[in-house]
Amino acid sequence: MNSLSNTLASYSDIESFVLDFGHSGTTKNFSSDIRKMIVSENADLLVCLTTEDTIRIAQLISELQKDGKIGLIGFGNGEILETYLAKGTVSELLFIDSEKIGHTAIKELFEYMKNGYANSYIAADLSVRKAVTK
């Protein structure tokens, strides 16, 4: 989050701010603040860093019928998010390819069994899926 905020701060024509109500238990304030932003169209793009936040924001955007009018970059994978991506509610989804991680882990395990050593780090690469534009 800090890296993203610092990068955005380097652009003078982009105004960014962070709303983080997820850990404080003030879900009601989170929803109402985001709802105000979406209704007033003060936000061009929302970025969610958790699956739960992505689903909550996508639900709000859908309820307010703002699909495609406000960009939403979300994080996660699953049937619900795929539906929002197909509808255009979510512009892009970032997700970790767990199948690739599992494949690499098994390969490393066999290398360890064969050679007695293996690379102890397995990269968790991010994948990006974009919404189909109409």
Side-chain angles (χ1 to χ4, degrees):
M1 188 66 212
N2 287 337
S3 178
L4 180 60
S5 295
N6 290 338
T7 300
L8 289 174
S10 68
Y11 294 93
S12 60
D13 56 339
I14 296 177
E15 181 182 350
S16 69
F17 53 95
V18 177
L19 293 176
D20 183 13
F21 297 104
H23 301 291
S24 62
T26 56
T27 307
K28 182 180 176 187
N29 290 341
F30 175 81
S31 295
S32 66
D33 288 349
I34 294 295
R35 185 179 295 272
K36 287 176 194 172
M37 232 189 324
I38 293 170
V39 168
S40 66
E41 297 189 23
N42 285 337
D44 295 320
L45 175 68
L46 300 171
V47 179
C48 297
L49 301 178
T50 68
T51 302
E52 294 80 15
D53 286 346
T54 303
I55 292 171
R56 285 195 297 180
I57 299 304
Q59 286 171 341
L60 279 172
I61 289 172
S62 285
E63 286 172 16
L64 298 170
Q65 299 179 346
K66 298 285 187 175
D67 294 347
K69 296 178 184 170
I70 295 176
L72 174 58
I73 298 174
F75 182 85
N77 204 1
E79 192 174 323
I80 295 170
L81 292 175
E82 290 298 323
T83 302
Y84 284 124
L85 188 68
K87 282 176 48 178
T89 306
V90 174
S91 309
E92 295 186 23
L93 267 179
L94 305 173
F95 61 96
I96 296 173
D97 189 349
S98 54
E99 188 174 318
K100 182 179 176 187
I101 292 171
H103 178 63
T104 305
I106 294 297
K107 197 166 118 180
E108 292 295 325
L109 179 62
F110 282 117
E111 183 178 326
Y112 178 76
M113 291 169 59
K114 180 180 175 186
N115 302 325
Y117 60 88
N119 183 359
S120 61
Y121 296 100
I122 297 172
D125 295 333
L126 281 179
S127 297
V128 179
R129 299 227 19 238
K130 294 184 179 198
V132 177
T133 55
K134 297 174 186 176

